[in-house]
Amino acid sequence: MTDWLVFQSADIAASRVLQHAPTRMAPFDFPFISDWVNRSHHYGWPYVFKLYWFWKGSLTQSPSNSSPKERVTTRYWDCCKPSCAWSGKAAVSSPVRTCNSQQQVISDANTKSGCDGGTAFTCANNQPWAVSNTLAYGFAAVKLSGYTESQWCCQCYQLTFTSGPASGKVMIVQATNTGGDLGSNHFDILMPGGGVGLFNGCTAQYGSWNGGAQYGGVSSKSQCANLPSIVQSGCNWRFDWFSGSDNPSVNWKAVQCPSALTSISGCTRNSQAGGAPGTGGSTGGGGTTSTSRSSGGGDILY
């Protein structure tokens, strides 16, 4: 009761702030506590109080029996080598492909990430695209309650957006990255100009990078023209097919990966979970994944 009296007013005030909070934030990871304090000077202490509630709630939740209640999306594009590109992450055909600064595929899965002084980056063809007016494909960093990276790396998920201007549309994403700093049941969608977060490998990969705000990225379609031409279509996608949606909520389920995605990533799970992808409508909330960073907004480098 005392906690409620102390933090209730801050909880209300912070709700709006967190809608635009840094992508791939780490409310449960102690190394980021100092970062919370630093951010409090910019966002105000209600931001920290709100994170207190997330952290406190995480202590009492059991991942093994909790259904996916929180279905969150954010966006990022930091150009770093994705976590699922390292060998030994999951039972897959091969790790996710990475590219060098000339967009040539790197054959050695152990090549150091460009965000850690190496030469392996996210390939430009990992940007999202529209399949139809109501269906899109792309890639994402993922964190799912009760599951581990070995269970979601290279698994595909059907996201049905339930809020914002893209509500009702469907996107199928393949998990190529893991966000140790993401919340439960969280999909951080890869899209150029989505914000680099804590790690910026884009300058090293492209020579220069004018991708808007560190968190959130560009704020208008016209700003997509400031990006390298090879990734401008994925930035434009956000304002065309995605209708400028800002971190919409979703219903999700595991599905078999379309070949259009696996042919880009080069990664297929040895045992895929889920049925054939649908083309729209509500999917329900939850997903069964196979039992057989990295990047933006507060990633962990593997």
Side-chain angles (χ1 to χ4, degrees), residues 57-132:
S58 73
L59 299 181
T60 59
Q61 291 178 354
S62 172
S64 61
N65 60 16
S66 61
S67 60
K69 296 178 181 178
E70 180 187 3
R71 306 172 185 93
V72 180
T73 67
T74 46
R75 60 183 179 270
Y76 83 105
W77 185 276
D78 61 5
C79 303
C80 299
K81 177 179 181 176
S83 177
C84 300
W86 293 96
S87 59
K89 288 288 185 170
V92 295
S93 59
S94 62
V96 171
R97 291 171 180 150
T98 59
C99 291
N100 59 23
S101 58
Q102 286 77 45
Q103 295 303 320
Q104 298 168 327
V105 174
I106 295 175
S107 58
D108 184 1
N110 294 315
T111 301
K112 199 173 184 180
S113 171
C115 288
D116 195 27
T119 58
F121 301 93
T122 296
C123 296
N125 61 3
N126 281 202
Q127 57 194 308
W129 75 95
V131 177
S132 70

Side-chain angles (χ1 to χ4, degrees), residues 75-79 191-197 200 202-203 206 208-220 222-228 231 235 238-239:
R75 60 183 179 270
Y76 83 105
W77 185 276
D78 61 5
C79 303
M191 59 183 83
V196 295
N200 178 5
C202 298
T203 301
Y206 294 102
S208 63
W209 187 259
N210 187 5
Q214 181 179 1
Y215 301 106
V218 301
S219 58
S220 66
S222 62
Q223 292 180 349
C224 293
N226 297 328
L227 298 178
V231 294
C235 181
R238 176 180 155 201
F239 300 96

Side-chain angles (χ1 to χ4, degrees), residues 29-272:
D29 293 347
F30 289 108
F32 289 83
I33 289 179
S34 60
D35 189 44
W36 299 356
V37 176
N38 291 335
R39 296 189 197 285
S40 72
H41 297 302
H42 177 70
Y43 292 117
W45 281 105
Y47 171 87
V48 176
F49 295 155
K50 182 73 172 182
L51 292 179
Y52 164 84
W53 279 110
F54 285 146
W55 171 77
K56 186 174 182 179
S58 73
L59 299 181
T60 59
Q61 291 178 354
S62 172
S64 61
N65 60 16
S66 61
S67 60
K69 296 178 181 178
E70 180 187 3
R71 306 172 185 93
V72 180
T73 67
T74 46
R75 60 183 179 270
Y76 83 105
W77 185 276
D78 61 5
C79 303
C80 299
K81 177 179 181 176
S83 177
C84 300
W86 293 96
S87 59
K89 288 288 185 170
V92 295
S93 59
S94 62
V96 171
R97 291 171 180 150
T98 59
C99 291
N100 59 23
S101 58
Q102 286 77 45
Q103 295 303 320
Q104 298 168 327
V105 174
I106 295 175
S107 58
D108 184 1
N110 294 315
T111 301
K112 199 173 184 180
S113 171
C115 288
D116 195 27
T119 58
F121 301 93
T122 296
C123 296
N125 61 3
N126 281 202
Q127 57 194 308
W129 75 95
V131 177
S132 70
N133 289 335
T134 57
L135 177 65
Y137 287 168
F139 301 90
V142 172
K143 186 176 182 183
L144 298 176
S145 177
Y147 297 93
T148 65
E149 181 176 55
S150 65
Q151 293 168 291
W152 62 63
C153 263
C154 297
Q155 175 64 48
C156 284
Y157 298 93
Q158 179 172 304
L159 310 181
T160 300
F161 298 104
T162 57
S163 67
S167 182
K169 291 186 174 184
V170 170
M171 183 176 190
I172 298 175
V173 297
Q174 185 177 35
T176 55
N177 208 351
T178 293
D181 52 344
L182 298 182
S184 299
N185 305 313
H186 190 152
F187 296 87
D188 203 10
I189 302 172
L190 260 177
M191 59 183 83
V196 295
L198 289 180
F199 298 102
N200 178 5
C202 298
T203 301
Q205 185 177 19
Y206 294 102
S208 63
W209 187 259
N210 187 5
Q214 181 179 1
Y215 301 106
V218 301
S219 58
S220 66
K221 184 177 179 178
S222 62
Q223 292 180 349
C224 293
N226 297 328
L227 298 178
S229 59
I230 196 171
V231 294
Q232 287 181 15
S233 62
C235 181
N236 290 332
W237 171 90
R238 176 180 155 201
F239 300 96
D240 294 334
W241 187 92
F242 208 38
S243 304
S245 298
D246 187 16
N247 300 346
S249 57
V250 293
N251 288 334
W252 63 273
K253 67 177 181 180
V255 295
Q256 295 177 11
C257 286
S259 60
L261 289 174
T262 57
S263 64
I264 292 173
S265 68
C267 184
T268 302
R269 291 190 64 85
N270 294 343
S271 176
Q272 290 195 63

